[in-house]
Amino acid sequence: MSGRTTSSPHSGRRRFLATGAGALGAAAVSQFVVTGTARAAADPLPDGVFALGVASGDPLPDGVVLWTRLAPDPLNGGGMPDRTVEVEWQVAKDRGFRSIVRRGTAQATPALGHSVHVDVRGLHAHRDYWYRFRVEGQISQVGRTRTAPSRTSSGRLRLALASCQNWQHGYFTPYADMAEQDPDAVLFVGDYIYESVPASTGVRRHEGKGEPVSLVQYRNRYAQYHTDPDLMRMRASAPWIVTFDDHEVDNDWAGEIPQDPDKQPHDAFVARLTAAYQAFYENMPVRATAVPNGPHIRMHRRLDFGRLARLQVLDTRQFRSDQVTTQQAAQDPSLTMLGADQKAWLLDGLRRSPARWNLIGSQIMMAETDMLAGPGKLWFYDAWDGYQVERNALLKELAAVRNPVVLSGDRHLTMISDLKRDFANPSSQVIGAEFVGTSISSNGDQDQAAFHAQFDPLVPDNPHWKIIDAHRGYHLFDIDRGGIDAQVRIVDTVTSPKSAARTLARLRVENGRPGVDLV
């Protein structure tokens, strides 16, 4: 989405990122006072209601979701009184809010953790906007967002891919570099929080006791993650497109089956799902279509970036069969990753797509991972390898789709591969490309020698791999009609709050030529 119609160049955007809430002055306060509709409460709110920052998400050509959550005591349930609070919001063409184009009020209710989700419409396509919130005299940080191109546009798109940010394994330093790269949107494909217990060792420590299971505990866990300054800054810098994987609920869960069914009775786990889904909604810039209905949430959705790219975001947890543990079981035709309805939705979106590039946001890896050196195979069953029949049928469909590219996470590794029509046949047709993004912080500063000792012997058994690496970071994609230029951006360390960043590798996907190449 470069070549945007906004008058602000990238240098101006970086000045905005550096100044943040400092851009608010007396004029900004007076604007809200003049135009505001909120009434002072009999019992004023505590100071610091905007401690968790602001965010935006799911950009459309004419709109975007704006988010904040009122939480003056974020690590202890939020600290808000048990009453509904009216929150004002503004959207402007400029960071000084001299040209306000949309404004209104929203209700922050106790039932939804005093979160605010404003689905703003009536904006211009392919343009930057600034936004902020006000409640009872307190004004939020300023956020910046960006709308999608018009439906007929075929310009450019810069997309960042991120996943897996374990608070205890490190600081979220890759986001500092991501903000400088100025993506049009961030695709986050899962493991936004980790449900793990507080660790006695680690770079940082989870608050609380044990794993979160209640709504308040999940709220506190999200709040802790949102206090990371680099994550807070990045959330206010570009629209996010998010989905969840397992750690937002429970490690390796599937459907309504927890990791340890013997330790979590079904009714207890359903209650845990209900709490986790609600906390996810409360803390993410998603539309009202994602408001949970008990232990159910609609997370798969489709976003179009003009005629350049269609992005279909999957939910590979809620509808999947329980994962298997043997090679024979992984080939059971009754197993599903997507469920019948979501699979039909995905195929319909692919077959009807008008886009040059068909992107699929999948939490888990689609390409094969053979973990056994030499004859035979040992698959990674929690990924698509554990659902062989459905995966192979999907690959067959992708062979007939224009420029399919899968964007995944979960592995805490950069794993970039050709997608093959049949991974059982080494000479099978290449039908697409997959980028498995490394983690933001999960696995910390990994021992590179130990990693290469484990994975280098596996390369001959996985000839579709183009690059595999264990540094922390994210992927950055510059997409136009001719191709996708990808960068693997990594940081030197996540054990320190600041780190240098660099490009580890550059890759290219050419329009009309399936697969991916190092450049």
mmCIF file of all heavy atoms in Angstrom, residues 161-202:
data_model
loop_
_atom_site.group_PDB
_atom_site.id
_atom_site.type_symbol
_atom_site.label_atom_id
_atom_site.label_comp_id
_atom_site.label_asym_id
_atom_site.label_seq_id
_atom_site.Cartn_x
_atom_site.Cartn_y
_atom_site.Cartn_z
ATOM 1 N N LEU A 161 4.866 -10.116 9.118
ATOM 2 C CA LEU A 161 4.370 -11.379 9.669
ATOM 3 C C LEU A 161 5.046 -11.626 11.008
ATOM 4 O O LEU A 161 6.273 -11.637 11.091
ATOM 5 C CB LEU A 161 4.671 -12.531 8.714
ATOM 6 C CG LEU A 161 4.394 -13.949 9.235
ATOM 7 C CD1 LEU A 161 2.894 -14.175 9.442
ATOM 8 C CD2 LEU A 161 4.964 -14.997 8.290
ATOM 9 N N ALA A 162 4.233 -11.838 12.057
ATOM 10 C CA ALA A 162 4.778 -12.062 13.395
ATOM 11 C C ALA A 162 3.997 -13.159 14.102
ATOM 12 O O ALA A 162 2.844 -13.448 13.754
ATOM 13 C CB ALA A 162 4.741 -10.771 14.217
ATOM 14 N N SER A 163 4.626 -13.747 15.116
ATOM 15 C CA SER A 163 3.971 -14.774 15.929
ATOM 16 C C SER A 163 4.823 -15.059 17.160
ATOM 17 O O SER A 163 5.990 -14.682 17.221
ATOM 18 C CB SER A 163 3.771 -16.068 15.125
ATOM 19 O OG SER A 163 5.022 -16.643 14.772
ATOM 20 N N CYS A 164 4.229 -15.704 18.135
ATOM 21 C CA CYS A 164 4.938 -16.363 19.238
ATOM 22 C C CYS A 164 5.786 -15.401 20.066
ATOM 23 O O CYS A 164 6.997 -15.279 19.870
ATOM 24 C CB CYS A 164 5.812 -17.502 18.707
ATOM 25 S SG CYS A 164 4.914 -18.737 17.755
ATOM 26 N N GLN A 165 5.140 -14.744 21.026
ATOM 27 C CA GLN A 165 5.850 -13.791 21.879
ATOM 28 C C GLN A 165 5.682 -14.198 23.343
ATOM 29 O O GLN A 165 4.718 -13.846 23.993
ATOM 30 C CB GLN A 165 5.355 -12.363 21.615
ATOM 31 C CG GLN A 165 3.853 -12.184 21.621
ATOM 32 C CD GLN A 165 3.420 -10.817 21.124
ATOM 33 O OE1 GLN A 165 4.038 -10.227 20.242
ATOM 34 N NE2 GLN A 165 2.340 -10.305 21.696
ATOM 35 N N ASN A 166 6.646 -14.943 23.823
ATOM 36 C CA ASN A 166 6.619 -15.428 25.203
ATOM 37 C C ASN A 166 7.307 -14.403 26.093
ATOM 38 O O ASN A 166 8.504 -14.147 25.963
ATOM 39 C CB ASN A 166 7.320 -16.784 25.304
ATOM 40 C CG ASN A 166 7.083 -17.459 26.652
ATOM 41 O OD1 ASN A 166 7.110 -16.822 27.698
ATOM 42 N ND2 ASN A 166 6.851 -18.763 26.620
ATOM 43 N N TRP A 167 6.542 -13.813 27.002
ATOM 44 C CA TRP A 167 7.032 -12.771 27.894
ATOM 45 C C TRP A 167 8.268 -13.240 28.666
ATOM 46 O O TRP A 167 9.226 -12.481 28.859
ATOM 47 C CB TRP A 167 5.915 -12.393 28.864
ATOM 48 C CG TRP A 167 6.264 -11.377 29.904
ATOM 49 C CD1 TRP A 167 6.792 -11.616 31.143
ATOM 50 C CD2 TRP A 167 6.101 -9.962 29.814
ATOM 51 N NE1 TRP A 167 6.964 -10.441 31.829
ATOM 52 C CE2 TRP A 167 6.549 -9.409 31.033
ATOM 53 C CE3 TRP A 167 5.608 -9.107 28.836
ATOM 54 C CZ2 TRP A 167 6.519 -8.037 31.304
ATOM 55 C CZ3 TRP A 167 5.584 -7.746 29.089
ATOM 56 C CH2 TRP A 167 6.036 -7.224 30.295
ATOM 57 N N GLN A 168 8.241 -14.474 29.126
ATOM 58 C CA GLN A 168 9.308 -14.969 29.993
ATOM 59 C C GLN A 168 10.592 -15.297 29.228
ATOM 60 O O GLN A 168 11.661 -15.376 29.821
ATOM 61 C CB GLN A 168 8.828 -16.182 30.782
ATOM 62 C CG GLN A 168 7.616 -15.876 31.642
ATOM 63 C CD GLN A 168 7.252 -16.960 32.628
ATOM 64 O OE1 GLN A 168 7.042 -16.683 33.805
ATOM 65 N NE2 GLN A 168 7.177 -18.201 32.187
ATOM 66 N N HIS A 169 10.484 -15.473 27.915
ATOM 67 C CA HIS A 169 11.665 -15.836 27.124
ATOM 68 C C HIS A 169 12.444 -14.637 26.627
ATOM 69 O O HIS A 169 13.565 -14.794 26.146
ATOM 70 C CB HIS A 169 11.248 -16.699 25.935
ATOM 71 C CG HIS A 169 10.803 -18.061 26.316
ATOM 72 N ND1 HIS A 169 10.409 -19.000 25.383
ATOM 73 C CD2 HIS A 169 10.682 -18.667 27.532
ATOM 74 C CE1 HIS A 169 10.072 -20.113 26.004
ATOM 75 N NE2 HIS A 169 10.217 -19.934 27.303
ATOM 76 N N GLY A 170 11.848 -13.436 26.696
ATOM 77 C CA GLY A 170 12.610 -12.289 26.214
ATOM 78 C C GLY A 170 11.757 -11.055 26.020
ATOM 79 O O GLY A 170 10.520 -11.083 26.100
ATOM 80 N N TYR A 171 12.443 -9.956 25.748
ATOM 81 C CA TYR A 171 11.783 -8.701 25.412
ATOM 82 C C TYR A 171 11.304 -8.748 23.962
ATOM 83 O O TYR A 171 11.834 -9.494 23.142
ATOM 84 C CB TYR A 171 12.739 -7.532 25.620
ATOM 85 C CG TYR A 171 13.171 -7.362 27.056
ATOM 86 C CD1 TYR A 171 14.343 -7.958 27.529
ATOM 87 C CD2 TYR A 171 12.401 -6.627 27.946
ATOM 88 C CE1 TYR A 171 14.729 -7.815 28.858
ATOM 89 C CE2 TYR A 171 12.782 -6.477 29.280
ATOM 90 C CZ TYR A 171 13.949 -7.079 29.722
ATOM 91 O OH TYR A 171 14.312 -6.946 31.035
ATOM 92 N N PHE A 172 10.338 -7.915 23.648
ATOM 93 C CA PHE A 172 9.753 -7.934 22.305
ATOM 94 C C PHE A 172 10.489 -6.950 21.390
ATOM 95 O O PHE A 172 9.893 -6.127 20.694
ATOM 96 C CB PHE A 172 8.264 -7.598 22.384
ATOM 97 C CG PHE A 172 7.458 -8.553 23.249
ATOM 98 C CD1 PHE A 172 6.229 -8.170 23.783
ATOM 99 C CD2 PHE A 172 7.925 -9.832 23.533
ATOM 100 C CE1 PHE A 172 5.486 -9.044 24.560
ATOM 101 C CE2 PHE A 172 7.182 -10.709 24.331
ATOM 102 C CZ PHE A 172 5.970 -10.316 24.839
ATOM 103 N N THR A 173 11.802 -7.074 21.383
ATOM 104 C CA THR A 173 12.649 -6.128 20.647
ATOM 105 C C THR A 173 12.420 -6.106 19.137
ATOM 106 O O THR A 173 12.650 -5.054 18.513
ATOM 107 C CB THR A 173 14.136 -6.417 20.924
ATOM 108 O OG1 THR A 173 14.431 -7.789 20.632
ATOM 109 C CG2 THR A 173 14.473 -6.163 22.387
ATOM 110 N N PRO A 174 11.984 -7.193 18.475
ATOM 111 C CA PRO A 174 11.763 -7.084 17.022
ATOM 112 C C PRO A 174 10.751 -6.008 16.632
ATOM 113 O O PRO A 174 10.816 -5.479 15.517
ATOM 114 C CB PRO A 174 11.264 -8.487 16.642
ATOM 115 C CG PRO A 174 11.917 -9.393 17.642
ATOM 116 C CD PRO A 174 11.872 -8.598 18.925
ATOM 117 N N TYR A 175 9.825 -5.669 17.539
ATOM 118 C CA TYR A 175 8.825 -4.663 17.171
ATOM 119 C C TYR A 175 9.434 -3.273 17.008
ATOM 120 O O TYR A 175 8.884 -2.437 16.269
ATOM 121 C CB TYR A 175 7.712 -4.624 18.218
ATOM 122 C CG TYR A 175 6.786 -5.804 18.161
ATOM 123 C CD1 TYR A 175 6.519 -6.561 19.300
ATOM 124 C CD2 TYR A 175 6.174 -6.179 16.965
ATOM 125 C CE1 TYR A 175 5.660 -7.649 19.251
ATOM 126 C CE2 TYR A 175 5.320 -7.270 16.913
ATOM 127 C CZ TYR A 175 5.072 -8.009 18.056
ATOM 128 O OH TYR A 175 4.230 -9.091 18.011
ATOM 129 N N ALA A 176 10.548 -2.993 17.690
ATOM 130 C CA ALA A 176 11.183 -1.690 17.509
ATOM 131 C C ALA A 176 11.641 -1.532 16.065
ATOM 132 O O ALA A 176 11.446 -0.483 15.446
ATOM 133 C CB ALA A 176 12.362 -1.547 18.475
ATOM 134 N N ASP A 177 12.210 -2.593 15.500
ATOM 135 C CA ASP A 177 12.626 -2.546 14.102
ATOM 136 C C ASP A 177 11.423 -2.549 13.168
ATOM 137 O O ASP A 177 11.404 -1.841 12.162
ATOM 138 C CB ASP A 177 13.531 -3.735 13.785
ATOM 139 C CG ASP A 177 13.958 -3.754 12.326
ATOM 140 O OD1 ASP A 177 14.742 -2.876 11.934
ATOM 141 O OD2 ASP A 177 13.476 -4.637 11.577
ATOM 142 N N MET A 178 10.407 -3.322 13.501
ATOM 143 C CA MET A 178 9.214 -3.379 12.662
ATOM 144 C C MET A 178 8.585 -1.997 12.514
ATOM 145 O O MET A 178 8.172 -1.612 11.415
ATOM 146 C CB MET A 178 8.194 -4.361 13.246
ATOM 147 C CG MET A 178 6.977 -4.588 12.354
ATOM 148 S SD MET A 178 5.681 -5.588 13.138
ATOM 149 C CE MET A 178 6.470 -7.188 13.221
ATOM 150 N N ALA A 179 8.525 -1.245 13.604
ATOM 151 C CA ALA A 179 7.942 0.092 13.529
ATOM 152 C C ALA A 179 8.728 0.973 12.574
ATOM 153 O O ALA A 179 8.152 1.778 11.833
ATOM 154 C CB ALA A 179 7.897 0.713 14.922
ATOM 155 N N GLU A 180 10.043 0.829 12.553
ATOM 156 C CA GLU A 180 10.864 1.619 11.644
ATOM 157 C C GLU A 180 10.655 1.223 10.182
ATOM 158 O O GLU A 180 10.854 2.032 9.279
ATOM 159 C CB GLU A 180 12.344 1.464 12.013
ATOM 160 C CG GLU A 180 12.726 2.072 13.347
ATOM 161 C CD GLU A 180 12.487 3.563 13.375
ATOM 162 O OE1 GLU A 180 12.811 4.242 12.378
ATOM 163 O OE2 GLU A 180 11.955 4.061 14.393
ATOM 164 N N GLN A 181 10.244 0.003 9.931
ATOM 165 C CA GLN A 181 10.037 -0.478 8.562
ATOM 166 C C GLN A 181 8.692 -0.044 7.989
ATOM 167 O O GLN A 181 8.432 -0.237 6.799
ATOM 168 C CB GLN A 181 10.161 -2.004 8.507
ATOM 169 C CG GLN A 181 11.512 -2.542 8.948
ATOM 170 C CD GLN A 181 12.659 -1.990 8.144
ATOM 171 O OE1 GLN A 181 12.553 -1.815 6.928
ATOM 172 N NE2 GLN A 181 13.778 -1.719 8.808
ATOM 173 N N ASP A 182 7.812 0.487 8.836
ATOM 174 C CA ASP A 182 6.573 1.112 8.374
ATOM 175 C C ASP A 182 5.691 0.189 7.538
ATOM 176 O O ASP A 182 5.343 0.500 6.394
ATOM 177 C CB ASP A 182 6.919 2.372 7.575
ATOM 178 C CG ASP A 182 5.702 3.236 7.277
ATOM 179 O OD1 ASP A 182 4.664 3.049 7.931
ATOM 180 O OD2 ASP A 182 5.792 4.080 6.370
ATOM 181 N N PRO A 183 5.285 -0.968 8.083
ATOM 182 C CA PRO A 183 4.388 -1.835 7.308
ATOM 183 C C PRO A 183 2.992 -1.237 7.190
ATOM 184 O O PRO A 183 2.551 -0.469 8.050
ATOM 185 C CB PRO A 183 4.368 -3.126 8.134
ATOM 186 C CG PRO A 183 4.626 -2.678 9.531
ATOM 187 C CD PRO A 183 5.585 -1.516 9.409
ATOM 188 N N ASP A 184 2.298 -1.620 6.130
ATOM 189 C CA ASP A 184 0.911 -1.206 5.955
ATOM 190 C C ASP A 184 -0.017 -1.946 6.908
ATOM 191 O O ASP A 184 -1.072 -1.443 7.272
ATOM 192 C CB ASP A 184 0.467 -1.467 4.520
ATOM 193 C CG ASP A 184 1.233 -0.618 3.535
ATOM 194 O OD1 ASP A 184 1.285 0.609 3.719
ATOM 195 O OD2 ASP A 184 1.799 -1.176 2.575
ATOM 196 N N ALA A 185 0.370 -3.165 7.292
ATOM 197 C CA ALA A 185 -0.416 -3.958 8.233
ATOM 198 C C ALA A 185 0.491 -5.027 8.830
ATOM 199 O O ALA A 185 1.513 -5.401 8.241
ATOM 200 C CB ALA A 185 -1.621 -4.609 7.550
ATOM 201 N N VAL A 186 0.097 -5.516 9.991
ATOM 202 C CA VAL A 186 0.802 -6.594 10.680
ATOM 203 C C VAL A 186 -0.126 -7.803 10.739
ATOM 204 O O VAL A 186 -1.253 -7.688 11.229
ATOM 205 C CB VAL A 186 1.211 -6.189 12.108
ATOM 206 C CG1 VAL A 186 1.913 -7.340 12.817
ATOM 207 C CG2 VAL A 186 2.086 -4.943 12.093
ATOM 208 N N LEU A 187 0.332 -8.932 10.238
ATOM 209 C CA LEU A 187 -0.404 -10.187 10.362
ATOM 210 C C LEU A 187 0.218 -10.977 11.501
ATOM 211 O O LEU A 187 1.376 -11.394 11.421
ATOM 212 C CB LEU A 187 -0.326 -10.984 9.055
ATOM 213 C CG LEU A 187 -0.912 -12.408 9.101
ATOM 214 C CD1 LEU A 187 -2.400 -12.387 9.429
ATOM 215 C CD2 LEU A 187 -0.663 -13.137 7.786
ATOM 216 N N PHE A 188 -0.552 -11.180 12.571
ATOM 217 C CA PHE A 188 -0.078 -11.952 13.727
ATOM 218 C C PHE A 188 -0.834 -13.270 13.763
ATOM 219 O O PHE A 188 -2.052 -13.284 13.904
ATOM 220 C CB PHE A 188 -0.295 -11.181 15.032
ATOM 221 C CG PHE A 188 0.464 -11.773 16.183
ATOM 222 C CD1 PHE A 188 1.709 -11.276 16.530
ATOM 223 C CD2 PHE A 188 -0.045 -12.843 16.893
ATOM 224 C CE1 PHE A 188 2.436 -11.841 17.575
ATOM 225 C CE2 PHE A 188 0.664 -13.417 17.937
ATOM 226 C CZ PHE A 188 1.911 -12.907 18.287
ATOM 227 N N VAL A 189 -0.101 -14.387 13.634
ATOM 228 C CA VAL A 189 -0.747 -15.684 13.412
ATOM 229 C C VAL A 189 -0.743 -16.598 14.639
ATOM 230 O O VAL A 189 -0.910 -17.809 14.495
ATOM 231 C CB VAL A 189 -0.132 -16.410 12.196
ATOM 232 C CG1 VAL A 189 -0.487 -15.704 10.905
ATOM 233 C CG2 VAL A 189 1.380 -16.571 12.335
ATOM 234 N N GLY A 190 -0.604 -16.034 15.822
ATOM 235 C CA GLY A 190 -0.865 -16.864 16.985
ATOM 236 C C GLY A 190 0.213 -16.854 18.049
ATOM 237 O O GLY A 190 1.366 -16.508 17.813
ATOM 238 N N ASP A 191 -0.216 -17.269 19.272
ATOM 239 C CA ASP A 191 0.612 -17.273 20.471
ATOM 240 C C ASP A 191 0.991 -15.847 20.861
ATOM 241 O O ASP A 191 2.165 -15.517 21.045
ATOM 242 C CB ASP A 191 1.845 -18.167 20.305
ATOM 243 C CG ASP A 191 1.479 -19.636 20.170
ATOM 244 O OD1 ASP A 191 0.335 -19.990 20.501
ATOM 245 O OD2 ASP A 191 2.319 -20.432 19.719
ATOM 246 N N TYR A 192 -0.045 -15.032 20.984
ATOM 247 C CA TYR A 192 0.109 -13.633 21.379
ATOM 248 C C TYR A 192 0.482 -13.538 22.849
ATOM 249 O O TYR A 192 1.272 -12.683 23.258
ATOM 250 C CB TYR A 192 -1.190 -12.896 21.092
ATOM 251 C CG TYR A 192 -1.118 -11.407 21.229
ATOM 252 C CD1 TYR A 192 -0.851 -10.602 20.117
ATOM 253 C CD2 TYR A 192 -1.332 -10.781 22.452
ATOM 254 C CE1 TYR A 192 -0.785 -9.223 20.232
ATOM 255 C CE2 TYR A 192 -1.272 -9.405 22.568
ATOM 256 C CZ TYR A 192 -0.991 -8.633 21.457
ATOM 257 O OH TYR A 192 -0.930 -7.276 21.575
ATOM 258 N N ILE A 193 -0.132 -14.390 23.667
ATOM 259 C CA ILE A 193 0.278 -14.568 25.055
ATOM 260 C C ILE A 193 0.641 -16.034 25.252
ATOM 261 O O ILE A 193 0.367 -16.882 24.383
ATOM 262 C CB ILE A 193 -0.824 -14.172 26.058
ATOM 263 C CG1 ILE A 193 -2.062 -15.075 25.880
ATOM 264 C CG2 ILE A 193 -1.187 -12.705 25.933
ATOM 265 C CD1 ILE A 193 -3.061 -14.984 27.019
ATOM 266 N N TYR A 194 1.248 -16.326 26.389
ATOM 267 C CA TYR A 194 1.503 -17.713 26.786
ATOM 268 C C TYR A 194 0.838 -17.958 28.125
ATOM 269 O O TYR A 194 0.886 -17.115 29.032
ATOM 270 C CB TYR A 194 3.004 -17.984 26.870
ATOM 271 C CG TYR A 194 3.601 -18.312 25.522
ATOM 272 C CD1 TYR A 194 3.709 -17.332 24.540
ATOM 273 C CD2 TYR A 194 4.015 -19.600 25.205
ATOM 274 C CE1 TYR A 194 4.222 -17.618 23.285
ATOM 275 C CE2 TYR A 194 4.536 -19.910 23.955
ATOM 276 C CZ TYR A 194 4.638 -18.908 23.002
ATOM 277 O OH TYR A 194 5.137 -19.197 21.758
ATOM 278 N N GLU A 195 0.205 -19.115 28.219
ATOM 279 C CA GLU A 195 -0.539 -19.467 29.422
ATOM 280 C C GLU A 195 0.347 -20.137 30.466
ATOM 281 O O GLU A 195 -0.150 -20.583 31.516
ATOM 282 C CB GLU A 195 -1.707 -20.387 29.036
ATOM 283 C CG GLU A 195 -1.422 -21.870 28.972
ATOM 284 C CD GLU A 195 -0.385 -22.290 27.929
ATOM 285 O OE1 GLU A 195 0.114 -21.443 27.172
ATOM 286 O OE2 GLU A 195 -0.066 -23.485 27.884
ATOM 287 N N SER A 196 1.629 -20.212 30.239
ATOM 288 C CA SER A 196 2.529 -20.938 31.120
ATOM 289 C C SER A 196 2.619 -20.287 32.505
ATOM 290 O O SER A 196 2.387 -19.081 32.682
ATOM 291 C CB SER A 196 3.923 -21.027 30.491
ATOM 292 O OG SER A 196 4.334 -19.779 29.991
ATOM 293 N N VAL A 197 2.968 -21.095 33.491
ATOM 294 C CA VAL A 197 3.064 -20.643 34.877
ATOM 295 C C VAL A 197 4.270 -19.729 35.030
ATOM 296 O O VAL A 197 5.199 -19.752 34.212
ATOM 297 C CB VAL A 197 3.190 -21.840 35.834
ATOM 298 C CG1 VAL A 197 1.989 -22.768 35.703
ATOM 299 C CG2 VAL A 197 4.485 -22.608 35.574
ATOM 300 N N PRO A 198 4.283 -18.892 36.044
ATOM 301 C CA PRO A 198 5.465 -18.056 36.297
ATOM 302 C C PRO A 198 6.699 -18.930 36.483
ATOM 303 O O PRO A 198 6.669 -19.932 37.204
ATOM 304 C CB PRO A 198 5.101 -17.313 37.583
ATOM 305 C CG PRO A 198 3.608 -17.292 37.607
ATOM 306 C CD PRO A 198 3.182 -18.591 36.994
ATOM 307 N N ALA A 199 7.770 -18.565 35.817
ATOM 308 C CA ALA A 199 9.000 -19.351 35.845
ATOM 309 C C ALA A 199 9.974 -18.770 36.866
ATOM 310 O O ALA A 199 10.035 -17.551 37.068
ATOM 311 C CB ALA A 199 9.646 -19.369 34.464
ATOM 312 N N SER A 200 10.741 -19.654 37.494
ATOM 313 C CA SER A 200 11.744 -19.196 38.458
ATOM 314 C C SER A 200 12.951 -18.601 37.761
ATOM 315 O O SER A 200 13.715 -17.847 38.358
ATOM 316 C CB SER A 200 12.178 -20.363 39.351
ATOM 317 O OG SER A 200 12.697 -21.432 38.558
ATOM 318 N N THR A 201 13.142 -18.972 36.499
ATOM 319 C CA THR A 201 14.223 -18.394 35.705
ATOM 320 C C THR A 201 13.621 -17.807 34.433
ATOM 321 O O THR A 201 12.518 -18.161 34.039
ATOM 322 C CB THR A 201 15.270 -19.455 35.326
ATOM 323 O OG1 THR A 201 14.639 -20.500 34.572
ATOM 324 C CG2 THR A 201 15.923 -20.049 36.564
ATOM 325 N N GLY A 202 14.356 -16.953 33.785
ATOM 326 C CA GLY A 202 13.860 -16.331 32.563
ATOM 327 C C GLY A 202 14.174 -14.859 32.552
ATOM 328 O O GLY A 202 14.530 -14.253 33.571
#
